Amino acid sequence: PCSRRVGSVTTTFPRSTPSALGIDARGVSAFLDALESTPDVEPHSIVLLRHGQLAAQGWWAPYAPERVHLLYSLSKSFTAAGVGIAVREGLVDLDATVLSYFPELDADVTDDRSRRIRVRHLLAMASGHREETLDRARAADPHDLVRGFLLTPPDEEPGTVFAYNQPCTYTLAAIVRRVTGGSLVDWLRPRLLDPLGIDDLAWKRDETGAELGFSGCHAPTSAVAALGQLYLQRGVWDGQRILDEDWVDAATSAQVANPDEANPDWSQGYGFQFWMARHGFRGDGAYGQFCVVLPEQDVVLALTGQSLDMQAVLDAAWAHLLPAIAPVDDAAADDAARDTTADDGLEARLAALGLPPVAGSAPTDDAAGSCDATGVVDGVRLAADADGWRVTLDVDGGILSAPVGVGEWRVEGPLAASAAVDADGAVQLDVRFVETPHLLHVRLDVAAGTATSVWATQPLHDGPLTLRRPAD
């Protein structure tokens, strides 16, 4: 694939149409129908690639292609790529002990199993712990998460059991920083991001200035698709090898069994910061951030969203999208998928995607006012200005302000807002943090002097003032 800049967005893939790539556009439309109608599923973006070309893409307004989106645990797959590049350059040995990269901790870490954890065990979430260690590791050392993790003894021999474990990935990022002498993003920029045409990626850092590694990466949907395409192409991009082929093989195959996971697409085994699935493999993050790679179909599907039911998203892909993809070597089926009328309809639909604004009647002058609030924010003020309405939120000792759309979303910076008056005369106000999955519901009743605020989905490591792209 080639990279080219279009306006402020780097487009990494040559454009095509679904039918030209052996995809029935009606199946893509059915997939969109499912995403938009399934309870606890809210899509924000989709990028669909086949044969390294763009079959379909769309963003549900107020989300937009040039914006980054918080990826939550899909960040792990970017961290792992940094490790893979360091392995290729001879800086990291998968079979070296983790402790060997932190010799200053040698005297502190006395548990034999902790001392036997290897880099490959971190990658496979197979450190020997039976469950998440983040809270215990932080308690063991509030200032050094790597030390706290290594001071938390594994329950079993490393490599023998799976447990989704944030400090494993944090430690991987710390190893990359240790062997390269810089930040994880600094390491990735010339070696991964620039070659793949990813011109905007930022990472939340902890109080020590270190990238979280396991979460906190903000990137556009096109970056997610590009990472998937790199793995689909077995580590080669534009003729340049970025990841070794044996790394790709290991990362995208089961390194440890995880049959006890509840959902079917989470119990097929785990690779190197990738989940194996009923079809292909994927990276994913909380609330519906997905990088799905289907090698048999030569397809990459990148999605962002605010979805509590992530299994439903994959169920919809398997039910509607997968059957619409003609086999790679089946020319007859490929020809049968060539429905240009459906292509045109899908393209028009993708161009007009949007999340519904708040429904109800338009606010009138008596809706303006301010109140103390309960819930997420401390106070709400709604006022008319020359351009319409504006909301101001007092929260966490700071101020958030955004224009408010009526019957639409209005966007300013990292916020989008929409409002309407409900049957009781109160203003229902939705504020979206459009560089993240999250939505805040606010209800303001000036006549009663009350206001409430509640998250649609709970942010995992940020408050309202930091739900945005981190500063570089």
Side-chain angles (χ1 to χ4, degrees):
C2 58
S3 299
R4 61 191 187 281
R5 186 174 292 275
V6 181
S8 63
V9 182
T10 298
T11 303
T12 313
F13 311 102
R15 299 203 56 155
S16 186
T17 62
S19 63
L21 297 172
I23 301 174
D24 188 336
R26 293 169 295 185
V28 183
S29 290
F31 179 53
L32 299 180
D33 289 341
L35 294 179
E36 291 181 334
S37 64
T38 301
D40 291 329
V41 171
E42 179 185 276
H44 292 169
S45 70
I46 177 174
V47 173
L48 178 64
L49 308 177
R50 193 176 200 199
H51 309 321
Q53 299 180 64
L54 183 62
Q57 65 176 356
W59 284 259
W60 280 260
Y63 289 86
E66 67 274 8
R67 283 196 179 273
V68 298
H69 198 282
L70 172 58
L71 301 181
Y72 278 122
S73 281
L74 182 49
S75 307
K76 293 177 170 71
S77 300
F78 284 89
T79 299
V83 177
I85 295 167
V87 170
R88 175 171 169 77
E89 297 197 12
L91 298 176
V92 171
D93 179 355
L94 294 180
D95 289 312
T97 65
V98 173
L99 189 58
S100 69
Y101 291 95
F102 304 96
E104 72 279 11
L105 302 179
D106 187 74
D108 296 342
V109 180
T110 58
D111 181 82
D112 287 343
R113 286 174 174 161
S114 290
R115 296 179 67 87
R116 287 197 292 272
I117 300 173
R118 300 179 184 273
V119 175
R120 65 169 64 252
H121 298 148
L122 300 182
L123 287 159
M125 295 292 188
S127 60
H129 299 91
R130 292 198 197 102
E131 58 188 18
E132 172 70 65
T133 66
L134 183 59
D135 290 343
R136 285 180 288 158
R138 284 176 170 162
D141 191 327
H143 307 294
D144 184 342
L145 187 58
V146 172
R147 183 175 180 273
F149 171 59
L150 291 174
L151 289 176
T152 305
D155 307 291
E156 307 287 349
E157 187 63 24
T160 63
V161 294
F162 170 84
Y164 201 64
N165 194 353
Q166 313 305 329
C168 284
T169 318
Y170 183 93
T171 303
L172 290 170
I175 289 172
V176 172
R177 288 189 292 269
R178 179 64 62 96
V179 300
T180 65
S183 74
L184 178 58
V185 173
D186 287 344
W187 174 250
L188 291 174
R189 175 63 58 199
R191 296 166 181 84
L192 179 77
L193 307 182
D194 289 346
L196 271 57
I198 300 171
D199 61 351
D200 192 6
L201 181 145
W203 219 302
K204 180 178 175 63
R205 298 169 184 253
D206 65 13
E207 64 278 1
T208 72
E211 297 100 339
L212 294 183
F214 59 83
S215 188
C217 182
H218 294 64
T221 317
S222 58
V224 175
L227 182 69
Q229 188 66 30
L230 174 66
Y231 275 88
L232 185 60
Q233 293 171 181
R234 302 183 61 73
V236 173
W237 192 274
D238 280 348
Q240 174 189 354
R241 179 159 290 285
I242 294 174
L243 295 168
D244 286 334
E245 199 162 9
D246 58 355
W247 166 272
V248 174
D249 287 341
T252 62
S253 59
Q255 299 297 310
V256 62
N258 58 352
D260 296 333
E261 296 294 305
N263 292 318
D265 283 301
W266 276 261
S267 59
Q268 308 295 318
Y270 196 79
F272 287 169
Q273 310 289 288
F274 281 109
W275 297 89
M276 305 305 104
R278 288 177 289 172
H279 304 280
F281 62 89
R282 72 180 189 285
D284 65 40
Y287 304 124
Q289 325 318 313
F290 285 104
C291 177
V292 179
V293 183
L294 303 174
E296 289 186 15
Q297 291 78 22
D298 200 19
V299 160
V300 174
L301 172 65
L303 301 166
T304 62
Q306 182 184 223
S307 299
L308 287 167
D309 192 345
M310 291 173 61
Q311 182 62 62
V313 176
L314 294 177
D315 289 344
W318 310 151
H320 303 292
L321 187 58
L322 193 61
I325 303 169
V328 171
D329 56 356
D330 189 338
D334 188 80
D335 289 339
R338 295 182 184 276
D339 181 346
T340 57
T341 302
D343 283 349
D344 294 342
L346 176 63
E347 184 175 8
R349 177 177 181 176
L350 289 166
L353 293 173
L355 298 173
V358 178
S361 58
T364 55
D365 289 347
D366 57 0
S370 60
C371 293
D372 292 340
T374 60
V376 177
V377 305
D378 302 313
V380 181
R381 180 173 183 266
L382 183 66
D385 63 18
D387 298 318
W389 292 93
R390 176 167 286 272
V391 64
T392 302
L393 304 175
D394 300 324
V395 56
D396 293 343
I399 296 293
L400 292 173
S401 179
V404 178
V406 177
E408 63 177 357
W409 295 100
R410 291 184 64 194
V411 183
E412 183 177 283
L415 301 177
S418 175
V421 177
D422 66 18
D424 296 327
V427 175
Q428 299 287 350
L429 175 74
D430 278 358
V431 179
R432 290 189 177 275
F433 295 75
V434 292
E435 294 171 343
T436 80
H438 297 295
L439 163 65
L440 182 67
H441 296 302
V442 178
R443 186 177 189 272
L444 173 64
D445 189 337
V446 173
T450 61
T452 59
S453 55
V454 62
W455 290 114
T457 51
Q458 182 68 41
L460 301 184
H461 50 56
D462 282 288
L465 297 179
T466 54
L467 277 173
R468 60 187 303 168
R469 181 194 187 282
D472 290 326

